[in-house]
Structure formats: structure tokens, C-alpha cells
Amino acid sequence: MEKQYTYQELLGIVAELRSDHGCPWDRAQTHESMIPCLRNECEEVVQAIENQDDENLCEELGDVLLQVLMNSQIASEEGRFTIEDVVDGLAKKLVRRHPHVFGDAKAGTPEEGLASWEAIKRQEKEEKARRKAQKLENTST
């Protein structure tokens, strides 16, 4: 039987690829240099879905995951954030934007669920813009 890798082992493989004795190409990558790869891999996911090709979809989703892991590894090396921060932020966002699942709100249709998501997202963006403006105001005084 072929070995099945775990998420933790995958994280180790990505870190190894970026290490001093890893792959020269992987070590040379930056967030900016990875942009074409991310665009290409996302388009390949769309094509696999459109072609209803589950085998290819599984592979292409793995390639998109690699983009997430590589960018997270680069950020971690720079002391900016980690994959754990990405996972935690996503989990918090999913819970926050689904009060009809994780709270007391109601959404009986897909449209109501989407409307709730969009309203919460809009509120979050407005609050973020207010905090940013306040921070700029505080630094200029």
C-alpha cells in the first residue's frame, strides 16, 4: 500500500523545499513571483470543474493548496504570519459570517445565507476602514 501523507507531513515537506538545502527554485520564490502560478492553478481548478473531471479536480485543488502553503511558508520565514494564522483567521471568519449556523440568526434559503454573508462582510470592511483611518489620524498628530 502506498504511503498516505498527513497535513503535518505536507507542511514539513513545504518547509524542507524552502530550506537551505531544499530546491533552488522553491527557495527563490516570493509572494510576487508566485502570482502567475496561483492564477494558473486557479484556472486549472475551474477547467477541471467545468470538465466534471474529479481526478483532475483533486490534483488541481492540491496545486492551489500548495500555493497557499508556499505563500504562508514565505510569510512565516519573514515573521509576518503562519499557516496556523491563516487557518485560524478563516475559521473565525466562517463562524462570524454564518450566524444562522453558529448563532441564533435564521437563513432559510441560499439567498438569505448569501445576503447575511455579504452584509457581515460589508460591516467588517467598513469597520476595518474606520480603524485604518483612525490609525492614520493618530500617527499624523
Side-chain angles (χ1 to χ4, degrees), residues 48-67:
I49 292 169
E50 289 175 344
N51 293 333
Q52 298 180 347
D53 185 342
D54 285 346
E55 182 178 344
N56 187 240
L57 177 58
C58 182
E59 179 182 345
E60 298 305 337
L61 287 171
D63 292 345
V64 170
L65 178 58
L66 174 58
Q67 299 303 307

Side-chain angles (χ1 to χ4, degrees), residues 20-113:
D20 290 340
H21 53 278
C23 172
W25 185 89
D26 290 299
R27 285 194 327 256
Q29 297 314 300
T30 64
H31 293 299
E32 294 76 16
S33 72
M34 298 287 294
I35 291 171
C37 299
L38 180 57
R39 284 186 175 133
N40 180 58
E41 297 304 346
C42 287
E43 181 55 37
E44 289 179 354
V45 166
V46 170
Q47 290 172 2
I49 292 169
E50 289 175 344
N51 293 333
Q52 298 180 347
D53 185 342
D54 285 346
E55 182 178 344
N56 187 240
L57 177 58
C58 182
E59 179 182 345
E60 298 305 337
L61 287 171
D63 292 345
V64 170
L65 178 58
L66 174 58
Q67 299 303 307
V68 172
L69 296 177
M70 282 286 287
N71 277 284
S72 297
Q73 179 65 32
I74 292 166
S76 178
E77 292 165 6
E78 296 171 354
R80 295 163 61 192
F81 61 85
T82 66
I83 187 64
E84 289 80 9
D85 296 324
V86 173
V87 170
D88 181 62
L90 174 58
K92 287 175 179 171
K93 179 192 299 186
L94 291 172
V95 170
R96 198 174 55 244
R97 293 192 185 170
H98 288 88
H100 52 284
V101 175
F102 301 104
D104 296 330
K106 301 286 184 235
T109 67
E111 294 78 14
E112 290 173 350

